[in-house]
Amino acid sequence: MRKFLSATALVLLATLSRADPVPLIDTHAHFQTIPYKDLEASHKAALANMDRMNIARSLLMPSPFATLTPQWFYDIEDLQFAVKANPGRFALLGGSSLNIMIHGTAPSAVTDEVRAKFRKRALEIVAAGAVGFGEISALHVSIPAMGPKHAYEDAPPDHPLLLLLADIAAENGIPIDLHCDLVPEDMPLPEALRPNLLNPRQLQANLPALKRLLSYNHKTRIVWSHVGLEPVPTRQPELVRQMLQAHPNLFMSFRLNRGLPRPSAALDPDGRLKPVWIDLIREFPDRFMLGSDAFYGRNGIVRGSSEEGMRNLRGLIEQLPPELQSKVASENAIRLYRLAPLAN
């Protein structure tokens, strides 16, 4: 028997013993549709996990599909049943159809006709009740743990259609959830990603283009997802600080499947929140949220986040100073996505 427990396990035990643990809003969750699509089963699994982990509300969104494969593709219209059945537990983002258009259209091929088609679809998503556009991808590397066919996608963050989406998002007062694996400068593909042959051996810098997207329309609020644990370990604390200082319209959501010693990981290997990340949250208390990246299937979470990852989100909150806990747990998400307050 182990003679000690990780910091996160101890936090979870302490949390479970409390009468009223801090409720969470998960701003980044999916229904898994590969190799089968059973959205109702995913819905039931999501509710069961949310009840068990005291997640008061989840923001559901389609994966950032880059191609239309009918047997597993879905967008916001396919998720509306979950909100109708449980209006207080779910809210929706949409945009997998937009992501296909972004990745299927070269920047030089964006004509007025393409723009009109893109805008029409974006406004349909807004009309369908979207609280945001997502998950939209710029660079999305293929991760070996997700299987050899896990998507590799690469579009410049300042792609003309992404800039158009920024304008549409600002016009309608809703954010964009952006997946952008960060490449500050041209660099070799990290060794851990080389088993998946969809990835190129050399990654091209995308930080300048990301800065152009963030500066393009200051009314556009962008949630840069998956901070705290990423396959390209470049979003380190000092860079996060610089980006948040330079771009008041930038927000981030934590994904914390596990802890690692590398600086870009928010948790250490024992599940402790690193002091530098606590300092960042204290410096920017209104800019961080939780986003598990859980994929719900028939049997619960089937990929993306893990059981440990879900516990780690709770652990992060419980390790924050009391005055920051509710902000990161739910209040920032309620304000940013214009959600109804949580029921008492």
Side-chain angles (χ1 to χ4, degrees):
M1 180 181 292
R2 294 185 63 178
K3 295 183 179 179
F4 63 91
L5 292 171
S6 72
T8 303
L10 289 170
V11 163
L12 182 62
L13 288 174
T15 299
L16 293 176
S17 68
R18 298 180 184 179
D20 297 304
V22 177
L24 310 181
I25 292 180
D26 182 355
T27 67
H28 193 108
H30 306 285
F31 286 171
Q32 173 69 351
T33 59
I34 301 172
Y36 59 85
K37 181 161 63 175
D38 187 344
L39 298 180
E40 182 54 49
S42 296
H43 171 226
K44 292 177 180 177
L47 282 172
N49 185 79
M50 290 164 63
D51 290 342
R52 187 166 55 85
M53 300 299 296
N54 196 32
I55 298 172
R57 187 175 295 147
S58 288
L59 273 57
L60 301 176
M61 65 188 75
S63 302
F65 297 106
T67 56
L68 175 59
T69 304
Q71 58 263 42
W72 62 66
F73 174 85
Y74 66 98
D75 207 334
I76 187 170
E77 291 85 356
D78 304 291
L79 298 173
Q80 288 175 318
F81 78 95
V83 173
K84 291 178 182 177
N86 299 275
R89 303 301 302 277
F90 297 108
L92 305 180
L93 285 77
S96 50
S97 48
L98 301 176
N99 202 67
I100 288 174
M101 296 175 69
I102 292 167
H103 287 271
T105 309
S108 60
V110 177
T111 62
D112 289 344
E113 182 180 358
V114 169
R115 288 175 180 275
K117 180 180 178 182
F118 187 89
R119 175 177 283 276
K120 179 177 182 293
R121 178 56 188 151
L123 293 179
E124 289 172 351
I125 290 168
V126 174
V131 299
F133 292 114
E135 180 180 359
I136 302 298
S137 67
L139 176 61
H140 180 289
V141 298
S142 179
I143 303 174
M146 297 291 190
K149 295 184 179 181
H150 184 236
Y152 172 82
E153 302 170 6
D154 190 13
D158 61 349
H159 188 291
L161 292 180
L162 265 170
L163 298 182
L164 176 57
L165 186 62
D167 283 335
I168 298 169
E171 291 164 10
N172 290 277
I174 62 176
I176 298 171
D177 183 291
L178 181 69
H179 182 128
C180 184
D181 295 321
L182 180 66
V183 186
E185 57 189 21
D186 293 356
M187 59 180 281
L189 182 72
E191 189 68 33
L193 299 175
R194 294 193 175 190
N196 278 19
L197 300 181
L198 296 175
N199 292 319
R201 287 305 180 101
Q202 187 77 9
L203 298 177
Q204 304 300 312
N206 61 11
L207 179 57
L210 178 60
K211 290 180 178 179
R212 288 192 288 272
L213 171 63
L214 290 165
S215 300
Y216 170 72
N217 187 330
H218 295 292
K219 294 182 179 179
T220 306
R221 296 163 296 162
I222 292 178
V223 181
W224 191 2
S225 58
H226 310 328
V227 71
L229 186 70
E230 299 164 286
V232 182
T234 51
R235 207 184 331 177
Q236 299 190 12
E238 185 51 39
L239 187 144
V240 169
R241 175 175 284 107
Q242 292 171 6
M243 294 292 284
L244 290 172
Q245 287 174 338
H247 304 285
N249 57 332
L250 175 62
F251 301 79
M252 300 192 188
S253 63
F254 280 107
R255 176 180 62 185
L256 301 172
N257 289 4
R258 59 190 181 280
L260 293 170
R262 63 196 192 197
S264 61
L267 303 181
D268 72 15
D270 291 324
R272 290 184 292 262
L273 184 57
K274 297 173 184 176
V276 66
W277 285 94
I278 296 177
D279 291 343
L280 273 171
I281 296 170
R282 185 180 284 114
E283 187 175 350
F284 302 97
D286 300 326
R287 313 280 284 280
F288 290 99
M289 298 170 292
L290 306 177
S292 71
D293 201 27
F295 283 75
Y296 291 104
R298 291 172 182 163
N299 299 313
I301 298 173
V302 295
R303 73 179 182 95
S305 186
S306 61
E307 183 75 14
E308 178 185 5
M310 301 300 284
R311 292 197 306 267
N312 284 341
L313 294 180
R314 169 69 59 189
L316 178 145
I317 296 301
E318 299 296 338
Q319 292 179 69
L320 289 175
E323 67 274 13
L324 297 177
Q325 290 183 6
S326 292
K327 284 181 173 289
V328 179
S330 63
E331 290 173 5
N332 292 342
I334 289 171
R335 185 183 64 258
L336 181 67
Y337 286 100
R338 301 187 300 181
L339 306 174
L342 298 180
N344 293 327

